């Protein structure tokens, strides 16, 4: 495995493509600055060819002093690449489908057509003196032999920075991802970094990203909180934690910045994280079960391998339905009380009784509020308003 892996964040682009999610220009700039301060070196910052707001935001990121490489997503067409130039991009993520399904059914082109279009796009980006990154969209459903041909025809040494393999529909699994990365890595010039962009439709985005690293990928693409289209993308915090503590891979990102990034994206996106979300979730470093707490009080490694201090959190013990006498004795000892074991066990019984007698009115209220907020905040514009706006414009043109 590589000693170090480059982390690319695409929250600003793919994260915002989450249905119903939209960021203001100010939020995009602030998020870019937070990512930059955290040590993320490459930002997939937007699709300026498709969004005037992305164009404005990327220009303002540059003016705000973002040090990370600001990259524009683009199709291999001149107007998109011209928009990337206007947006003051450093690099372009040029994407093109590679699966026969997408080429034939979506675009209506042949493999030869696609190769020619991609070569033309790469040449256009080079002429504008921007960094070139080629994205093989839908790579996990494409013919590996065709992708090898594309590598040889499109990814010329010295012209392409990265080759991004996109699991666009999240159908890859770790074994297939390892095989795909190994297959294409052998065809690539060593100067071109192989990167993965994983979607989470089967809950495997982080696993697939790590599998790609194990097979030799030197760059990965993630989003804060794992937001993104459908089930989202590989989660930034999860990938960083696994690289740090399981694989001992350098990545240059300050983990202490992860909670702030997570909360910012929660507020801005309207997608709120579960208390059990890995790494940054509210409950990740909290313990209640009596057996677990008793073991943790003796040695925190008993039920905790990811240290809370890594992201600036503190460990916490919770009194609840499953608590035991060990935690009562621990708390009393910290309060300099002489502990009577019999009374401590009676306190545990009282705690359990308190919990069992609580009603769940607030649970119902919180659930209903969450449902109402989600339906409203992520709804987008109703179809009837789109139809009404169309009719209004038709009427104006007729006058």
């Amino acid at each position: 495995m590589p000693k170090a892996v480059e982390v690319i964040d695409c929250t600003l682009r793919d994260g915002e493509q989450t249905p119903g999610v939209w960021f203001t220009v100010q939020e995009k700039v602030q998020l870019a600055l937070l990512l930059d301060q955290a040590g993320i070196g490459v930002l997939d910052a937007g699709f300026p060819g498709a969004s005037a707001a992305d164009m404005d935001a990327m220009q303002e990121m540059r003016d705000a002093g973002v040090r990370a490489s600001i990259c524009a997503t683009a199709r291999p067409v001149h107007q998109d690449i011209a928009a990337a130039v206007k947006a003051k991009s450093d690099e372009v993520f040029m994407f093109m489908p590679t699966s026969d399904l997408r080429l034939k059914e979506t675009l209506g082109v042949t493999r030869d057509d696609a190769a020619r279009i991609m070569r033309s796009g790469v040449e256009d980006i080079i002429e504008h003196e921007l960094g070139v990154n080629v994205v093989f969209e839908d790579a996990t459903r494409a013919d590996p032999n065709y992708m090898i041909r594309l590598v040889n025809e499109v990814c010329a040494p010295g012209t392409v920075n990265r080759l991004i393999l996109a699991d666009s529909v999240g159908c890859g699994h770790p074994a297939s991802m390892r095989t795909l990365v190994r297959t294409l890595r052998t065809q690539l010039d060593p100067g071109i970094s192989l990167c993965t962009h994983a979607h989470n439709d089967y809950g495997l985005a982080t696993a697939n990203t790590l599998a790609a690293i194990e097979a030799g990928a030197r760059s990965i693409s993630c989003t804060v909180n794992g937001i993104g289209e459908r089930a989202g993308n590989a989660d930034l915090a999860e990938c960083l934690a696994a690289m740090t503590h399981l694989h001992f891979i350098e990545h240059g990102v300050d983990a202490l910045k992860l909670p702030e990034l997570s909360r910012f994206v929660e507020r801005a996106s309207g997608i709120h994280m579960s208390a059990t979300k890995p790494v940054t979730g509210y409950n990740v470093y909290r313990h209640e079960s009596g057996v677990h707490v008793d073991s943790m009080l003796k040695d925190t490694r008993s039920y905790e391998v990811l240290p809370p201090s890594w992201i600036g959190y503190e460990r916490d013990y919770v009194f609840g339905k499953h608590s035991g006498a060990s935690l009562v004795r621990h708390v009393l000892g910290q309060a300099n009380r002489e502990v009577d074991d019999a009374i401590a066990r009676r306190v545990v019984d009282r705690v359990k009784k308190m919990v069992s007698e609580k009603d769940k009115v607030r649970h119902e209220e919180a659930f209903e509020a969450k449902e109402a907020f989600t339906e409203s905040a992520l709804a987008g514009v109703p179809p009837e308003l789109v139809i009404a706006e169309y009719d209004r414009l038709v009427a104006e043109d007729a006058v």
Side-chain angles (χ1 to χ4, degrees), residues 9 11-12 21-35 224-225 227 257-273 280 313:
D9 186 89
T11 312
L12 292 158
V21 170
W22 59 282
F23 300 139
T24 66
V25 170
Q26 182 181 6
E27 286 171 338
K28 277 179 164 278
V29 174
Q30 187 173 352
L31 178 54
L33 287 168
L34 289 173
L35 291 164
V224 177
N225 293 342
I227 67 172
K257 301 290 186 181
L258 293 176
E260 182 182 10
L261 278 168
S262 178
R263 290 193 296 271
F264 180 88
V265 170
E266 272 196 276
R267 289 195 302 268
S269 68
I271 297 178
H272 302 140
M273 294 297 102
T280 57
Y313 279 14

Side-chain angles (χ1 to χ4, degrees), residues 97-278:
T98 52
S99 66
D100 289 333
L101 185 153
R102 291 294 316 283
L103 293 176
K104 180 181 178 182
E105 303 300 333
T106 306
L107 299 182
V109 300
T110 66
R111 289 183 175 185
D112 289 341
D113 291 334
R116 175 182 52 78
I117 292 168
M118 293 180 78
R119 283 197 305 271
S120 175
V122 168
E123 291 168 0
D124 197 0
I125 297 169
I126 292 172
E127 286 180 9
H128 287 90
E129 299 182 344
L130 298 178
V132 181
N133 302 278
V134 176
V135 182
F136 283 2
E137 190 184 9
D138 208 16
T140 46
R141 293 193 294 179
D143 178 358
N145 291 320
Y146 175 58
M147 289 190 288
I148 289 173
R149 172 191 162 186
L150 287 176
V151 166
N152 293 327
E153 294 186 13
V154 177
C155 300
T159 62
V160 174
N161 296 337
R162 305 173 189 86
L163 171 62
I164 295 94
L165 302 178
D167 183 16
S168 302
V169 295
C171 67
H173 55 80
S176 66
M177 185 62 75
R178 288 188 194 95
T179 299
L180 177 60
V181 169
R182 286 173 182 150
T183 297
L184 293 184
R185 188 185 58 161
T186 62
Q187 304 297 317
L188 275 179
D189 180 87
I192 299 174
S193 179
L194 196 58
C195 177
T196 185
H197 176 81
H199 279 263
N200 204 38
D201 297 71
Y202 285 94
L204 295 172
T206 296
N208 285 335
T209 299
L210 296 173
I213 294 171
E214 291 165 5
R218 302 203 310 268
S219 301
I220 61 172
S221 172
C222 308
T223 63
V224 177
N225 293 342
I227 67 172
E229 298 194 60
R230 302 182 312 281
N233 293 70
D235 180 87
L236 174 66
E238 293 175 20
C239 290
L240 293 176
M243 284 195 294
T244 302
H245 300 285
L246 299 181
H247 293 311
F248 311 106
I249 293 172
E250 296 293 330
H251 48 71
V253 181
D254 183 359
L256 295 175
K257 301 290 186 181
L258 293 176
E260 182 182 10
L261 278 168
S262 178
R263 290 193 296 271
F264 180 88
V265 170
E266 272 196 276
R267 289 195 302 268
S269 68
I271 297 178
H272 302 140
M273 294 297 102
S274 164
T276 56
K277 180 197 173 298

